Amino acid sequence: QFQNPLAPMDNYQMAAQMAQLSTVQALGDLTKSMKSMEAYQATASSLQAVGLIGKKVEAAGNTLSIGQDNTVSGGAYQLANPGHAYIQIFDANGNTVRVIDDGVKDASKRKFAWDGKNQQGAALPAGNYTFKVSAVDERNQPIQAATSKIATVTGVSFENGIIYLNLGSD
């Protein structure tokens, strides 16, 4: 019922079957090569991620932190349109601890540094804080603002082939 490739009915069928076997073998070799390249790429990505430890990075979000050594992480924002920007900083309970008048800004990305102090100038304790940027245009209409956090990479975690950067105390 099935033809034996070593005893074909004719030369054409034998050549076709040999070509099919060669193709299957080549696909198997290609699969092995791709898996090897994938493993190499994962290793290279891991090494690159480890190289970020101690470096400052920017990531989407609105968190700030004060470390045990009193280092304060920073933030950034970008207004959708030019306007007057205010940065509100909240403690872990959602209480406003500081409002910073950042003045009139254009729509380019702006970084800001917080000194870790409340509105009265007293140093706040170590911990996690959040911030919100509110802005209004010249007609006092609200403007949308995208926020991001700036923090130092303190470590790298690997889970299910995904690399996660640990940022400060976040």
Side-chain angles (χ1 to χ4, degrees), residues 2 9 13 23 31 53 72 77-78 83 106 109 117 137 139 141 158 169:
F2 298 103
M9 294 178 159
Q13 287 180 347
T23 300
T31 300
I53 294 174
V72 181
Y77 67 91
Q78 185 168 9
D106 60 18
K109 182 171 275 190
K117 296 180 180 176
D137 64 15
R139 292 175 289 149
Q141 296 298 311
F158 302 94
S169 59

Side-chain angles (χ1 to χ4, degrees), residues 110-167:
R110 300 284 175 182
K111 293 181 182 179
F112 72 89
W114 172 46
D115 58 7
K117 296 180 180 176
N118 66 13
Q119 202 68 35
Q120 293 74 32
L124 292 167
N128 292 322
Y129 296 81
T130 57
F131 71 96
K132 176 182 176 187
V133 176
S134 302
V136 292
D137 64 15
E138 66 275 350
R139 292 175 289 149
N140 222 23
Q141 296 298 311
I143 299 171
Q144 294 291 323
T147 60
S148 55
K149 60 184 173 182
I150 299 171
T152 302
V153 177
T154 58
V156 178
S157 302
F158 302 94
E159 270 184 47
N160 300 325
I162 299 173
I163 300 169
Y164 294 96
L165 301 178
N166 302 330
L167 304 178

